[in-house]
């Protein structure tokens, strides 16, 4: 008997094409993955329309009278893709059982008071368009990015603090953010740099939180940066920092733009954050974009940013090859 009873029969999956959300699997692997899903999820009922897993990246795990747990099948596919095929079913079942256990722990934490969970609070960098009513506390950073308050409840797993819980604490947002940022500062990271006088620093942290350390960029850089810090967060696991170099700012921007575009293009859509360069200065974060000239064009490229940033750039480099916009 299947362990989880949530889906209707999937019908004939033999000619099902590999869906875009699972594009790293070949056709044979996709067929094997569907077989695993069918074995675990289907309840043997002939009623209802057939289920095509390729059309259903997102499922819910739980009984019919429960709200269920949101599942991203792409996450499971990534989990099993590095394992031998004969381990795919057991790894998937272990993952699903783990999700059920985490659901129970998360629900208990959602009922906890501030003092009980203070040590678990963290900010987490997310795309601004993913912030919704389920976030009890969110802070807009740029047009593309926001920080949300989460409970880090197991290893690298976290969940947004819901509005009802935040309201039950009867505390101001500033006090709660201070607690979360304090936890971020004690969060271990690995730093590596290129050894140059103005080093480019690579930051590596716990999965899902690496990029969030942009909130403490000047602290991590650990060197004077009176003109601010340039940062890249093309996806969740990527953070590079470098102090603004007045004499080479334009070169920095062009180099950053090429690196960030390459890593943005190479990331999966669900993990992408921002394709723009970030300027961290005086406690604020702004975006800077570099639009290169089309190949073979005699037109210059364009650097765009806030009035404050463009004034800084123009004071160092009079507009020529990359005029400011």
């Amino acid at each position: 008997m299947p362990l989880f009873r949530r889906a209707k029969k999937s019908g004939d999956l033999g000619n099902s094409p590999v869906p875009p959300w699972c594009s790293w699997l070949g056709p044979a692997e996709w067929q094997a993955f569907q077989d695993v899903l069918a074995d675990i999820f289907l309840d043997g009922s002939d009623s209802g329309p057939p289920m095509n897993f390729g059309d259903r990246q997102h499922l819910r795990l739980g009984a019919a009278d429960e709200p269920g747990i949101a599942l991203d099948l792409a996450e499971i596919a990534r989990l099993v893709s590095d394992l031998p095929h004969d381990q795919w079913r057991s790894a998937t079942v272990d993952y699903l059982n783990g999700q059920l256990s985490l659901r129970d722990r998360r629900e208990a934490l959602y009922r906890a008071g501030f003092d009980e969970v203070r040590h678990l609070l963290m900010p987490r960098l997310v795309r601004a368009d993913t912030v919704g009513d389920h976030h009890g506390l969110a802070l807009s950073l740029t047009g593309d990015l926001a920080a949300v308050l989460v409970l880090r409840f197991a290893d690298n797993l976290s969940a947004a603090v819901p509005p009802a819980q935040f309201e039950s604490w009867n505390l101001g947002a500033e006090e709660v953010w201070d607690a979360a940022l304090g936890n971020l500062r004690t969060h271990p990271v690995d730093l590596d740099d290129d050894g140059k006088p103005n080093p480019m620093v690579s930051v590596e942290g716990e999965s899902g939180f690496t990029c969030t350390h942009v909130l403490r960029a000047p602290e991590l850089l650990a060197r004077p940066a009176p003109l601010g810090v340039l940062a890249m967060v093309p996806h969740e696991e990527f953070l590079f920092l470098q102090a603004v170099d007045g004499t080479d700012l334009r070169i920095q921007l062009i180099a950053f733009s090429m690196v960030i575009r390459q890593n943005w293009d190479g990331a999966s859509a669900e993990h992408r954050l921002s394709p723009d360069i970030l300027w961290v200065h005086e406690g604020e974060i702004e975006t800077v974009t570099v639009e290169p000239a089309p190949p073979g064009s005699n037109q210059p490229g364009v650097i765009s940013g806030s009035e404050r940033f463009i004034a800084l750039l123009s004071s160092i480099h009079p507009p020529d090859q990359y005029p400011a916009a």
Side-chain angles (χ1 to χ4, degrees):
M1 176 180 293
L3 181 60
F4 301 100
R5 300 183 175 188
R6 291 296 296 150
K8 298 295 184 182
K9 271 192 171 181
S10 57
D12 182 11
L13 303 175
N15 296 317
S16 177
V18 180
W21 56 264
C22 202
S23 59
W24 58 90
L25 295 182
E29 291 179 312
W30 167 238
Q31 180 61 53
F33 185 55
Q34 289 183 97
D35 292 342
V36 167
L37 295 177
D39 181 44
I40 293 173
F41 283 103
L42 300 186
D43 62 6
S45 171
D46 290 327
S47 63
M51 180 176 182
N52 183 346
F53 286 109
D55 294 335
R56 296 287 300 277
Q57 177 181 351
H58 300 282
L59 296 177
R60 302 199 71 82
L61 173 65
D65 57 347
E66 296 178 352
I69 302 171
L71 292 178
D72 185 345
L73 296 183
E75 186 174 349
I76 301 175
R78 287 192 181 278
L79 170 71
V80 303
S81 62
D82 293 330
L83 300 174
H85 284 192
D86 61 1
Q87 297 180 22
W88 282 19
R89 189 187 190 283
S90 61
T92 301
V93 170
D94 287 346
Y95 172 85
L96 295 172
N97 280 327
Q99 292 297 303
L100 290 171
S101 297
L102 290 173
R103 189 257 325 256
D104 295 340
R105 172 161 168 73
R106 184 171 64 244
E107 292 300 322
L109 289 174
Y110 280 167
R111 298 188 294 270
F114 177 72
D115 289 338
E116 296 174 85
V117 298
R118 180 179 185 133
H119 66 293
L120 299 176
L121 296 176
M122 288 278 280
R124 184 158 186 169
L125 199 69
V126 298
R127 293 194 311 275
D129 61 7
T130 65
V131 176
D133 294 339
H134 62 293
H135 290 107
L137 193 57
L139 179 65
S140 176
L141 300 174
T142 72
D144 291 334
L145 298 172
V148 297
L149 183 69
V150 301
L151 285 166
R152 181 173 166 268
F153 55 89
D155 296 328
N156 63 341
L157 298 175
S158 64
V161 172
Q165 183 176 29
F166 171 64
E167 292 167 4
S168 73
W169 294 341
N170 198 28
L171 296 171
E174 184 174 352
E175 181 177 354
V176 177
W177 275 124
D178 285 346
L181 288 170
N183 291 336
L184 181 70
R185 292 188 183 97
T186 64
H187 202 249
V189 294
D190 293 323
L191 305 177
D192 192 17
D193 66 60
D194 56 14
K196 294 182 179 179
N198 181 22
M200 181 179 288
V201 178
S202 169
V203 181
E204 293 186 5
E206 188 174 321
S207 178
F209 286 97
T210 292
C211 56
T212 304
H213 289 277
V214 72
L215 298 175
R216 51 192 289 248
E219 171 192 339
L220 290 176
L221 205 57
R223 69 184 303 270
L227 300 180
V229 179
L230 298 182
M232 293 183 277
V233 288
H235 59 78
E236 290 182 348
E237 308 305 329
F238 190 105
L239 174 58
F240 274 70
L241 308 171
Q242 189 176 36
V244 171
D245 187 327
T247 60
D248 290 327
L249 178 54
R250 182 170 293 148
I251 295 174
Q252 281 185 287
L253 294 173
I254 296 170
F256 267 55
S257 70
M258 291 187 291
V259 173
I260 203 168
R261 175 52 64 179
Q262 179 182 9
N263 284 275
W264 166 269
D265 290 341
S268 58
E270 65 270 21
H271 292 134
R272 287 176 176 171
L273 285 174
S274 176
D276 296 327
I277 301 165
L278 303 182
W279 181 44
V280 185
H281 184 52
E282 297 181 351
E284 298 181 5
I285 299 178
E286 301 180 8
T287 58
V288 180
T289 62
V290 178
E291 182 181 349
S297 170
N298 293 324
Q299 298 298 316
V302 176
I303 296 172
S304 303
S306 68
E307 290 186 9
R308 183 171 64 163
F309 184 82
I310 295 306
L312 169 65
L313 179 63
S314 298
S315 70
I316 300 169
H317 302 287
D320 47 34
Q321 184 179 3
Y322 273 79

